Amino acid sequence: MTEVYSHSYPSLENDIPAVNRSLTESTLIVVLGMHRGGTSAITRAMETIGADFGNNLGNPVAGENDKGFFEDLDIHRINAELLHAAGASWDSLATIDLDRIAPAVLDVFRERATSVLREKCRTRIFALKDPRLSRLLPFWMPVFERSGIRIVYVIAIRNPISVARSLKRRDRFSLEKSCRLWLAHMVPAIRATDGQRRVLVDYDTLIDAPIAELTRVSTCLGLTLNAQRVAVYAQEFLDNRLRHWQFTPEEFDAAHAAPQLAQRLFQALRAMLSHKEEESRSALALALRDAEHYALSQQEPTRTPAAVQSISKIVSAAVRAMRAVRLF
């Protein structure tokens, strides 16, 4: 059976030219994870290893993310436009199909994304976060590789029940929808970064033991930890009141309404963080496979909205015309 999450990822070894890392000192830290999954706090933690977030961040929202989202608005805008062009939204349960976007339109998106990324990553460490990235990696990974920047990944892990409770309060989502969305973000994040330099970070562990967790993260990513910044982060930024919901793995087991696939994947990821990586790899592989098969079984045929088709045709024609007169 076709694996719905992984079939469209690029082969980083065969399809994209190798980058001479000696030509750049820039590092891009890509934070992946689910909405309400701790990505904001984890992204803010990247400052302790020298990361910058740029000067074009969205504003904090009281009662939702009081201390900020740490999302670059230029990248956020590209992701939102990509989803719209594909006839999807951030909470779509169906797989995001970029083939629904005209090739010429995708080319424009790629050129724009590459230009924006290179500008933000000039001779520094830049942390990039938007939960939408997890579902748009087939678009972004070739952009990352072609940018000539050293790429490392940080994958935020949070108990799906905690995520679901947060989404229920904010968006009135059902437990089933939230867990399906959790899978739709976590499966491609894990699949696509396999073999890349990455580290998994448990949100609850970061709040409970920030110094130990950030020491581990810096070692895994090969970046220097700044003790003074760690102290500021732990004492001034972290606040247990930001963690409105916290459930243990045992409590997840007791939540019978939660999809079993989300439970299995969460447990496998927790095992990977418990120094049991080798013995948990088979469990993780099975959980990923079953989640992909489940997602495929839930897919329904969709059509690109007429308005999106029309816009794509117009933009494609405009791009061809501009290239003909060498404006691109």
Side-chain angles (χ1 to χ4, degrees):
M1 184 178 292
T2 303
E3 294 183 340
V4 68
Y5 290 117
S6 61
H7 72 280
S8 59
Y9 291 112
S11 169
L12 299 182
E13 295 180 356
N14 300 323
D15 297 340
I16 299 173
V19 175
N20 185 346
R21 299 299 181 193
S22 65
L23 297 179
T24 178
E25 296 179 356
S26 299
T27 295
L28 176 64
I29 302 173
V30 181
V31 180
L32 303 174
M34 171 60 184
H35 298 265
R36 314 306 298 159
T39 54
S40 297
I42 290 171
T43 301
R44 171 59 179 80
M46 296 303 100
E47 188 180 45
T48 66
I49 52 177
D52 184 14
F53 312 118
N55 56 8
N56 192 27
L57 298 177
N59 295 322
V61 176
E64 183 177 341
N65 253 353
D66 299 86
K67 296 193 175 184
F69 293 89
F70 302 96
E71 292 182 10
D72 181 89
L73 292 179
D74 294 322
I75 301 298
H76 176 91
R77 192 172 297 112
I78 290 173
N79 288 335
E81 291 175 13
L82 270 172
L83 288 174
H84 180 72
S89 62
W90 75 269
D91 64 331
S92 296
L93 293 175
T95 302
I96 308 302
D97 184 6
L98 296 179
D99 289 338
R100 298 172 70 187
I101 305 175
V105 176
L106 271 178
D107 285 343
V108 173
F109 272 116
R110 290 189 188 101
E111 292 171 10
R112 175 181 163 196
T114 301
S115 176
V116 167
L117 203 59
R118 284 176 174 163
E119 180 63 31
K120 294 181 183 297
C121 296
R122 288 182 179 273
T123 63
R124 61 181 176 182
I125 302 171
F126 189 79
L128 179 63
K129 171 254 178 179
D130 180 354
R132 295 162 186 80
L133 288 167
S134 296
R135 305 186 72 183
L136 292 172
L137 286 172
F139 170 84
W140 279 105
M141 291 188 82
V143 172
F144 294 155
E145 285 296 312
R146 290 168 183 153
S147 67
I149 301 165
R150 176 178 180 260
I151 312 295
V152 297
Y153 295 92
V154 176
I155 301 178
I157 299 170
R158 190 183 186 191
N159 191 320
I161 294 296
S162 300
V163 171
R165 291 291 186 267
S166 183
L167 287 172
K168 181 178 181 180
R169 185 180 70 170
R170 190 188 74 174
D171 300 294
R172 304 301 179 190
F173 288 172
S174 68
L175 181 61
E176 179 183 358
K177 177 172 181 175
S178 294
C179 285
R180 286 180 64 185
L181 281 173
W182 186 88
L183 286 168
H185 286 74
M186 298 307 299
V187 172
I190 298 298
R191 278 289 197 203
T193 60
D194 188 31
Q196 307 297 307
R197 188 150 196 169
R198 70 180 182 187
V199 61
L200 310 182
V201 180
D202 181 83
Y203 173 65
D204 291 317
T205 301
L206 177 66
I207 290 182
D208 293 335
I211 296 176
E213 190 68 356
L214 290 174
T215 299
R216 183 181 67 85
V217 169
S218 67
T219 300
C220 290
L221 298 183
L223 296 170
T224 302
L225 189 66
N226 184 302
Q228 184 176 0
R229 290 183 178 181
V230 171
V232 171
Y233 177 75
Q235 297 168 17
E236 299 181 14
F237 179 83
L238 286 184
D239 185 341
N240 198 51
R241 290 174 296 180
L242 297 176
R243 180 170 52 182
H244 302 292
W245 306 99
Q246 181 182 13
F247 293 85
T248 66
E250 291 72 23
E251 289 172 309
F252 192 12
D253 289 342
H256 300 297
Q260 292 298 307
L261 291 169
Q263 175 185 359
R264 285 176 54 201
L265 181 56
F266 175 62
Q267 290 175 334
L269 291 171
R270 291 271 302 182
M272 295 282 286
L273 287 169
S274 301
H275 307 291
K276 301 176 181 178
E277 183 166 344
E278 290 304 319
E279 61 187 80
S280 63
R281 277 193 175 276
S282 59
L284 178 61
L286 288 173
L288 289 170
R289 183 202 65 186
D290 291 346
E292 289 167 339
H293 289 177
Y294 170 75
L296 185 64
S297 72
Q298 298 298 307
Q299 298 302 305
E300 296 181 359
T302 56
R303 293 182 179 179
T304 303
V308 174
Q309 290 181 343
S310 177
I311 292 172
S312 293
K313 290 179 180 178
I314 293 171
V315 173
S316 296
V319 169
R320 287 194 297 270
M322 286 186 285
R323 282 179 172 159
V325 295
R326 297 186 178 181
L327 291 179
F328 268 162

